[in-house]
Amino acid sequence: MLINLIDKVFLSNGYESVEFDHGYDKLSARLYKPSDTENKAEFYLLVESEEASSERADQLLSKWADELYSILRQNPAVDRVFAKNCTMIICWPEIAITSRQIFQIEEDRYNFKKNVISYSAAELTDLLVKDIDFTLAQINDLIGAGDGRYFQQFKAKSAELENYYSLLLKIFIKIPFVTYVHDPKRLFDLDSSLVSRLSVDERALYDFTLNLDDDLSDQELMMQFLGRIR
């Protein structure tokens, strides 16, 4: 189940699990709150059904979500921030939920903001093989692997690919605190790249412009430019 992997994402990135009972058969639900040492205010409720189906997805929206909210409001581990700042992350096999259901769930803002991570068995298996703690640094390393080649491959064949990369991108999109950090070592020098493509005349004009005094008036600037082309 994807919920076991996402559990690592929370526990490795400044969140701790809150114990609670809900009594629903075959439904895994885990609440995460920021660790005391973290400057965060978000709560997250992670849910997944051990017997996921389209019918149970409907039940989650029509009944369980509201009841879970009421149960958690009574938990002594949550504070007033929970009421307005808790996101429900729903892990669901893509064969057991329709696009229409995902839209209905994510458009429903009652009690929780809701994000659905739908996944295939191939995606989950491929990501589990990585066997990491899923810290933000490790997740970023996986996304940035291949110096951007993997992302380009995904863009070109996104409808065909079902691997760890496509599932990681869903995690980035659906879990707000999972963000991509640009690695300066992987960025090329844009200025040098552009200058190297200039013609000889264009390069001369570029150098002339860089050497102009910033305090020149418009008239002085025009005189210098005219003097250059005579």
Side-chain angles (χ1 to χ4, degrees):
M1 293 174 67
L2 178 60
I3 191 172
N4 297 321
L5 186 151
I6 302 298
D7 178 75
K8 292 184 179 181
V9 175
F10 284 102
L11 297 182
S12 296
N13 294 286
Y15 288 85
E16 57 188 44
S17 181
V18 176
E19 295 294 329
F20 75 99
D21 296 320
H22 57 70
Y24 302 126
D25 187 40
K26 305 296 183 180
L27 181 72
S28 295
R30 305 173 189 177
L31 180 68
Y32 301 88
K33 71 170 186 176
S35 300
D36 293 337
T37 56
E38 296 288 327
N39 185 27
K40 300 176 181 179
E42 311 94 336
F43 283 80
Y44 289 92
L45 178 62
L46 184 62
V47 299
E48 183 170 13
S49 175
E50 297 170 30
E51 295 181 354
S53 66
S54 179
E55 292 74 21
R56 290 176 77 85
D58 282 338
Q59 194 169 13
L60 176 64
L61 177 59
S62 64
K63 181 180 179 183
W64 293 340
D66 293 343
E67 293 179 353
L68 285 169
Y69 180 83
S70 297
I71 292 170
L72 291 171
R73 284 296 303 272
Q74 307 304 315
N75 192 303
V78 306
D79 55 30
R80 59 185 179 84
V81 172
F82 168 84
K84 293 186 177 180
N85 205 0
C86 183
T87 299
M88 176 184 279
I89 306 294
I90 301 160
C91 304
W92 219 261
E94 61 186 18
I95 61 172
I97 193 168
T98 66
S99 298
R100 183 171 180 271
Q101 285 178 309
I102 293 175
F103 176 80
Q104 289 176 326
I105 291 171
E106 294 193 330
E107 286 300 302
D108 181 80
R109 293 292 188 265
Y110 186 65
N111 287 334
F112 297 108
K113 182 179 185 299
K114 304 174 182 69
N115 291 339
V116 179
I117 303 177
S118 62
Y119 65 95
S120 69
E123 287 176 318
L124 179 58
T125 299
D126 199 33
L127 188 52
L128 286 173
V129 170
K130 302 306 176 183
D131 192 27
I132 59 175
D133 293 329
F134 290 94
T135 64
L136 291 183
Q138 291 171 330
I139 295 173
N140 271 269
D141 284 344
L142 282 180
I143 282 291
D147 291 328
R149 293 193 306 274
Y150 294 168
F151 179 69
Q152 293 300 327
Q153 182 183 19
F154 174 80
K155 281 206 307 182
K157 300 181 178 181
S158 59
E160 305 170 24
L161 293 180
E162 287 191 358
N163 57 18
Y164 83 90
Y165 204 90
S166 53
L167 182 51
L168 266 185
L169 289 179
K170 294 176 189 177
I171 291 172
F172 269 95
I173 293 169
K174 301 295 185 175
I175 303 180
F177 71 83
V178 179
T179 55
Y180 180 66
V181 180
H182 294 285
D183 184 353
K185 295 178 181 178
R186 291 185 178 138
L187 299 178
F188 63 90
D189 186 341
L190 180 60
D191 186 61
S192 297
S193 176
L194 292 174
V195 170
S196 67
R197 300 183 184 186
L198 298 178
S199 67
V200 174
D201 289 342
E202 290 171 335
R203 178 60 187 267
L205 179 58
Y206 173 81
D207 291 337
F208 168 77
T209 303
L210 286 182
N211 290 324
L212 289 173
D213 190 335
D214 292 337
D215 296 325
L216 288 177
S217 67
D218 291 344
Q219 183 177 2
E220 291 171 328
L221 178 62
M222 181 61 69
M223 292 298 295
Q224 289 208 22
F225 181 75
L226 290 175
R228 175 184 176 276
I229 62 176
R230 284 173 184 165

